[in-house]
Amino acid sequence: MFRALLRLVVVVVIVVAVAAYFLGWYSGGHGRAVVPAPAVGTTGQVDASRARDVGAKVGETAADAANRAGELLSDGSLTAKIKSKMTLDDSVQGRSIDISTTNHVVTLKGTVRSQAEHERAVQLARETSGVSRVIDNLTVAR
């Protein structure tokens, strides 16, 4: 119960920090006052259709960036979940297994001590929610 609560707190802190960074709240000013720029006036006509197109393009770019950031966070959290499961499992030596995740596809690499450890490591990765496929590149030491 305590571990789950601690994990939830750590995940929330990381998500808030990343969101703050991407939303521009991180200024790095270290207490310096921010002076607003003077107002800029415009003369003449504004092309509304061009402004609409530019606004749509900016919105699309921002949405793509947010989706990519979400995917990176999601893949990183899957890797962390699996690594944690392996570390907590007595039958798997998690230090000898490298785990990488790309688009919810998990790749396991490394050398394990036995066939039972191999099967347990693959099982832990497969039963993690969010994993779509596991690529097994583990070898059993002889």
Side-chain angles (χ1 to χ4, degrees):
M1 175 73 181
F2 180 72
R3 286 183 183 173
L5 182 61
L6 181 62
R7 287 180 190 157
L8 178 65
V9 168
V10 169
V11 168
V12 167
V13 167
I14 291 172
V15 168
V16 168
V18 169
Y21 179 80
F22 281 115
L23 292 175
W25 291 342
Y26 178 77
S27 66
H30 305 291
R32 287 183 261 156
V34 177
V35 178
V40 177
T42 59
T43 59
Q45 295 292 332
V46 175
D47 185 3
S49 64
R50 183 170 182 268
R52 201 173 300 115
D53 292 341
V54 170
K57 189 172 185 176
V58 168
E60 182 179 328
T61 304
D64 288 343
N67 288 338
R68 278 184 294 191
E71 281 295 317
L72 289 175
L73 287 175
S74 178
D75 286 344
S77 67
L78 282 175
T79 300
K81 279 183 197 178
I82 296 167
K83 195 67 164 175
S84 296
K85 282 181 168 184
M86 289 184 183
T87 302
L88 295 173
D89 194 305
D90 293 335
S91 63
V92 177
Q93 190 175 17
R95 293 173 296 181
S96 64
I97 300 173
D98 293 323
I99 304 167
S100 61
T101 308
T102 305
N103 294 328
H104 304 282
V105 176
V106 176
T107 303
L108 303 176
K109 294 179 186 175
T111 304
V112 293
R113 297 170 292 180
S114 66
Q115 186 62 33
E117 182 180 4
H118 174 268
E119 291 170 4
R120 181 65 179 150
V122 173
Q123 177 188 11
L124 288 171
R126 282 194 178 127
E127 65 187 21
T128 302
S129 63
V131 173
S132 62
R133 187 168 60 113
V134 175
I135 299 173
D136 177 14
N137 291 334
L138 294 173
T139 56
V140 178
R142 298 281 171 190

